[in-house]
Amino acid sequence: MTLLTEAPTALRSPADSLRCRNCGAQFPLGPVHACADCFGPLEVGYDADLLGRVDRASIEAGPRSLWRYAGLLPVGQQPADRVTLDPGGTPLVRADRLAAELGMRSLWVKDDSANPTHSFKDRVVSVALTAARQLGFSRVACASTGNLANSVAAHAARAGLDSVVFVPADLEPAKIVQTAVYGGTLVAVEGSYDDVNRLCSQLAETDEFERTAFVNVNVRPYYAEGSKTLGYEVAEQLGWRLPEQVVIPVASGSLLTKVDKAFGELGKVGLVESSPWKVFGAQSSGCAPISAAYALGRDVVEPVRPTGVAKSLNIGNPADGPYALDAVRRTGGAIADAGDDEIREGIELLARTTGIFAETAGGVVVATLRKLLAAGALDPAAETVILNTGDGLKTLDAVAGRQAPTVTIKPTLRGAREAGLLD
Ligand SMILES: *Cc1c(COP(=O)(O)O)cnc(C)c1O
Ligand SMILES: [Zn+2]
């Protein structure tokens, strides 16, 4: 065995095709996202032998970012190829006090707010922009509910790429500022995310945007693969094994389907011993089309008009809805949803018991976890990982009115005494 014969394979992407998730048709890798036969969504397919060449040692010797899993990703095999703020490597926190409060035996929080732009979206963006550059695009763009906007603008700034980011005009102020500050073009659209997304699909077809990679439109198959790294990381951090249950916030449903895909791949390539896992979805009641379909036992997801505080999850017409339903049903999980006040209480409960201040999506997960436990859908005795996908500082308004100093005093001992601090 010499390095000379190994090098070419080692640097080859394990991806070999785009496959239609609807009809199974295969297409060459490229900037396309819809099946030419049935218009179904395309997903990256892999050569099983090439995927199988990764092992624990080679991953553990890699960078402390999601790029340690490059051997399981379609792009970025060589460091020079990567567009990256080095996301990933976020803490998996043992949540014993939260577990005790909920009557659970073993609970972990995967805290993906600890990414460079403070949400899990850095994972999908790093992979999508790497793909965009490898595919020869000169500009990057996205339709966003907020966190994607932050991450695309930041990654573009780091790589020196032009960016055009489209968001609903009523986005949280923090997410507007955290996008605009990176200096790209930020377009506020007077409409819902679904309106923004439709507009981007139309723009992507125009001559003016021909050289533009829309991360969640024409390079979506690559974007989606970035979410797998959250699943890989959880397994590695547990000592190369799968959790029995995982609770995942759901907007388009992409993250949920990709964590499920990641767990499956890990077993297939022998990085973990195969063991059963259950995938649970968490939605905001103000935008719960997948949860509603689940409750009614339907396969078809009826679009809704989103409302509610969890704006990062407000996708009323979720592209991966049917596939999320499939992953949940196939693994024996469930999907439920929580209302705005429950979401606020979820944020506070998580903060008070773990020291993690989550954005509204994290509150959705904690609140939905409670409901799933109460309904008997989730086993309190089985090891469970919940995902916090964003930082509370991004959505301060959601809880600002409920939080204040315990007491305000004069800077004197008398002031302290009068406030009861010396009793
Ligand atoms: C985008 C996002 C998700 C999940 O989105 P999917 O479209 O379902 O992949 C979850 N949490 C936060 C905070 C997000 O920004
Ligand atoms: Zn098809």
Side-chain angles (χ1 to χ4, degrees):
M1 222 169 33
T2 69
L3 276 177
L4 272 181
T5 55
E6 272 196 332
T9 346
L11 296 177
R12 224 158 88 209
S13 164
D16 66 358
S17 59
L18 294 174
R19 296 178 191 169
C20 176
R21 291 161 89 186
N22 189 39
C23 75
Q26 294 199 25
F27 304 91
L29 290 162
V32 281
H33 67 292
C35 174
D37 297 344
C38 77
F39 301 109
L42 300 181
E43 162 173 66
V44 175
Y46 293 92
D47 176 308
D49 291 338
L50 287 177
L51 268 192
R53 78 204 156 172
V54 295
D55 57 30
R56 292 180 187 177
S58 64
I59 290 171
E60 287 163 4
R64 295 170 67 91
S65 74
L66 61 76
W67 291 108
R68 71 206 272 106
Y69 308 108
L72 301 168
L73 294 172
V75 293
Q77 310 307 310
Q78 305 192 53
D81 293 340
R82 300 169 191 161
V83 174
T84 185
L85 303 176
D86 296 320
T90 59
L92 181 70
V93 179
R94 180 130 192 130
D96 289 339
R97 298 190 53 234
L98 179 57
E101 194 132 343
L102 297 174
M104 297 181 73
R105 192 179 294 160
S106 175
L107 179 62
W108 303 84
V109 182
K110 176 63 171 168
D111 186 13
D112 240 31
S113 70
N115 270 309
T117 72
H118 312 287
S119 86
F120 105 94
K121 286 297 196 299
D122 289 329
R123 297 179 184 273
V124 285
V125 170
S126 192
V127 175
L129 295 204
T130 297
R133 206 166 62 179
Q134 286 187 219
L135 291 166
F137 286 100
S138 57
R139 186 167 68 159
V140 296
C142 69
S144 174
T145 57
N147 287 318
L148 188 62
N150 297 167
S151 186
V152 166
H155 277 85
R158 177 72 59 90
L161 293 165
D162 280 341
S163 67
V164 193
V165 164
F166 297 84
V167 297
D170 71 349
L171 209 57
E172 296 96 338
K175 288 181 181 167
I176 299 277
V177 173
Q178 201 202 327
T179 306
V181 75
Y182 299 115
T185 303
L186 172 59
V187 183
V189 179
E190 291 171 346
S192 68
Y193 169 81
D194 299 281
D195 297 325
V196 177
N197 193 44
R198 193 179 329 104
L199 173 62
C200 285
S201 297
Q202 292 167 343
L203 286 171
E205 300 296 317
T206 64
D207 291 344
E208 290 76 5
F209 281 86
E210 201 195 340
R211 315 269 317 123
T212 302
F214 282 85
V215 307
N216 48 349
V217 183
N218 50 9
V219 295
R220 186 171 176 88
Y222 301 90
Y223 156 99
E225 292 299 287
S227 288
K228 292 193 306 181
T229 63
L230 196 37
Y232 300 148
E233 240 173 72
V234 166
E236 184 181 353
Q237 287 171 317
L238 287 174
W240 290 114
R241 57 186 183 77
L242 304 180
E244 291 173 273
Q245 308 182 120
V246 56
V247 187
I248 303 171
V250 171
S252 73
S254 178
L255 172 61
L256 183 143
T257 61
K258 294 302 170 174
V259 169
D260 176 61
K261 185 180 185 186
F263 286 175
E265 284 177 354
L266 289 174
K268 258 185 229 147
V269 304
L271 283 166
V272 302
E273 214 166 286
S274 290
S275 62
W277 69 89
K278 291 183 179 180
V279 176
F280 294 83
Q283 291 209 288
S284 152
S285 300
C287 180
I290 307 178
S291 171
Y294 177 80
L296 293 168
R298 299 215 174 118
D299 296 328
V300 177
V301 175
E302 288 291 337
V304 300
R305 180 154 268 282
T307 59
V309 286
K311 292 187 181 180
S312 58
L313 302 183
N314 278 354
I315 298 184
N317 189 8
D320 292 280
Y323 308 101
L325 283 170
D326 172 66
V328 163
R329 290 182 176 135
R330 175 170 35 77
T331 62
I335 305 191
D337 55 86
D340 283 0
D341 282 338
E342 295 169 318
I343 293 167
R344 294 186 175 98
E345 284 159 19
I347 292 172
E348 291 161 354
L349 175 60
L350 183 68
R352 166 171 106 233
T353 54
T354 67
I356 295 169
F357 181 23
E359 76 147 84
T360 44
V364 168
V365 167
V366 174
T368 302
L369 169 65
R370 280 182 123 154
K371 290 199 157 172
L372 291 165
L373 284 165
L378 188 138
D379 180 358
E383 183 168 61
T384 304
V385 174
I386 62 175
L387 306 186
N388 174 39
T389 45
D391 192 312
L393 296 176
K394 288 174 175 259
T395 60
L396 270 184
D397 275 2
V399 288
R402 299 157 63 99
Q403 306 298 337
T406 310
V407 63
T408 302
I409 65 169
K410 293 272 184 303
T412 58
L413 281 176
R414 183 163 161 209
R417 187 170 299 112
E418 280 171 7
L421 297 177
L422 295 173
D423 293 352

